[in-house]
Amino acid sequence: QKEVEQDPGPLSVPEGAIVSLNCTYSNSAFQYFMWYRQYSRKGPELLMYTYSSGNKEDGRFTAQVDKSSKYISLFIRDSQPSDSATYLCAMSAPGNNRKLIWGLGTSLAVNP
Amino acid sequence: DVKVTQSSRYLVKRTGEKVFLECVQDMDHENMFWYRQDPGLGLRLIYFSYDVKMKEKGDIPEGYSVSREKKERFSLILESASTNQTSMYLCASSPNRQVKKNTEAFFGQGTRLTVV
C-alpha cells in the first residue's frame, strides 16, 4: 500500500463548479500537508500549506485536513479554465523534514 | 521572488553519454532535491542534499550521482545515460525546518531529457 493515495482522474468540470480534490494517507505521523499545482510542462508550485488539522482558506481555495480519518482535501470554488492543471498533494512528518511524500496527482480540466 | 533555475528545459542525449543537469537556487536554502516525474508514477526522489557536500539517496538512486560543492548549486549526473532515463527531471529546494517553520519545497521549471 502506498503511503499516500490520490485518484489521478482525469476530472472534468464546467466553469464555475466547486471542485473537490482528495488524498488519503496511512502514516499517522504526518503533520505537514501541502497542495501543489502543476501546469503542463512546468514545475509544481505551492498552492496551500497546512500544519496539523483544520482548515485554511486562500481566496477561492480551501485546504482541509482530517487527521482522524487520514484524509486531506482541496476545494476550489468558482473554478476557472485557468485552474486546469494537475494537483499534487504532499506531506511530511516531524523529524523527517527533508523528504516529502507525494500523491500521484489529479488531472483537472475546467471547461468554459 | 523565490527562484530555482535549471540549466536546460530540453535535452537530447545519446545512450552511453555522461549527462549533467544543473540546478541553482537563490534563496539560501539548506535542502535541495532531484526528482524525476513519469506518467503514472508521479514524482520520485532520486537524491537529496541537506548541506554542502552532503547527500542522501532517495527512492531511485541507481544510475545517478549528485554533487553539491556550493550551497546554491546541486548537480545531477547520469554516468552513462540509458533510454529508461528518458524523463522529466525536477530540481527543488527547501529551508531547514529548524530555521523556518515553512518547509515547503520550491521547484524549478524542469528539464525534459530524452535519451536516444
Side-chain angles (χ1 to χ4, degrees):
Chain A
Q1 183 193 1
K2 281 179 165 289
E3 276 193 285
V4 178
E5 300 276 2
Q6 184 177 10
D7 186 338
L11 187 60
S12 182
V13 301
E15 184 175 351
I18 296 174
V19 176
S20 172
L21 304 166
N22 311 295
C23 289
T24 58
Y25 62 94
S26 57
N27 187 346
S28 58
F30 287 149
Q31 288 203 26
Y32 301 90
F33 303 93
M34 283 141 279
W35 285 97
Y36 284 79
R37 177 175 62 197
Q38 185 176 23
Y39 291 115
S40 182
R41 302 185 190 279
K42 303 275 187 168
E45 55 178 341
L46 181 69
L47 201 56
M48 299 285 284
Y49 173 92
T50 310
Y51 171 69
S52 194
S53 281
N55 292 2
K56 188 172 185 178
E57 192 171 315
D58 184 2
R60 297 184 294 110
F61 298 89
T62 299
Q64 284 187 353
V65 175
D66 182 347
K67 292 192 74 182
S68 60
S69 303
K70 298 192 183 71
Y71 189 88
I72 69 170
S73 301
L74 177 71
F75 297 96
I76 308 174
R77 289 184 299 282
D78 187 25
S79 56
Q80 302 295 309
S82 59
D83 295 327
S84 299
T86 296
Y87 291 80
L88 300 106
C89 63
M91 46 199 82
S92 68
N96 192 16
N97 59 352
R98 303 177 185 108
K99 286 183 66 172
L100 293 175
I101 309 301
W102 294 86
L104 288 183
T106 300
S107 176
L108 171 68
V110 180
N111 305 304
Chain B
D1 212 11
V2 160
K3 208 70 181 286
V4 178
T5 304
Q6 294 183 230
S7 52
S8 305
R9 289 297 307 275
Y10 301 94
L11 273 180
V12 180
K13 297 291 182 181
R14 295 199 178 274
T15 302
E17 276 193 76
K18 191 168 186 175
V19 181
F20 293 85
L21 302 182
E22 306 285 343
C23 176
V24 177
Q25 51 99 359
D26 64 1
M27 297 160 285
D28 201 35
H29 284 169
E30 289 74 20
N31 305 323
M32 295 189 75
F33 308 82
W34 274 107
Y35 291 90
R36 63 179 283 177
Q37 187 175 34
D38 302 285
L41 296 176
L43 279 165
R44 292 183 291 167
L45 182 64
I46 304 171
Y47 268 97
F48 66 101
S49 168
Y50 52 90
D51 201 352
V52 175
K53 297 193 186 294
M54 305 303 287
K55 60 186 178 185
E56 285 193 27
K57 292 180 180 179
D59 301 315
I60 52 162
E62 297 78 19
Y64 303 94
S65 62
V66 290
S67 171
R68 193 165 181 202
E69 296 296 318
K70 293 185 177 182
K71 190 176 185 180
E72 67 271 18
R73 188 179 297 269
F74 192 35
S75 303
L76 179 70
I77 303 148
L78 286 66
E79 295 289 344
S80 177
S82 64
T83 54
N84 63 13
Q85 292 178 310
T86 292
S87 186
M88 168 73 104
Y89 288 87
L90 289 158
C91 175
S93 72
S94 71
N96 187 302
R97 182 165 288 153
Q98 281 74 40
V99 174
K100 281 185 72 171
K101 271 204 164 175
N102 286 353
T103 60
E104 62 272 23
F106 296 90
F107 282 84
Q109 290 299 290
T111 297
R112 169 71 63 181
L113 173 67
T114 302
V115 182
V116 298

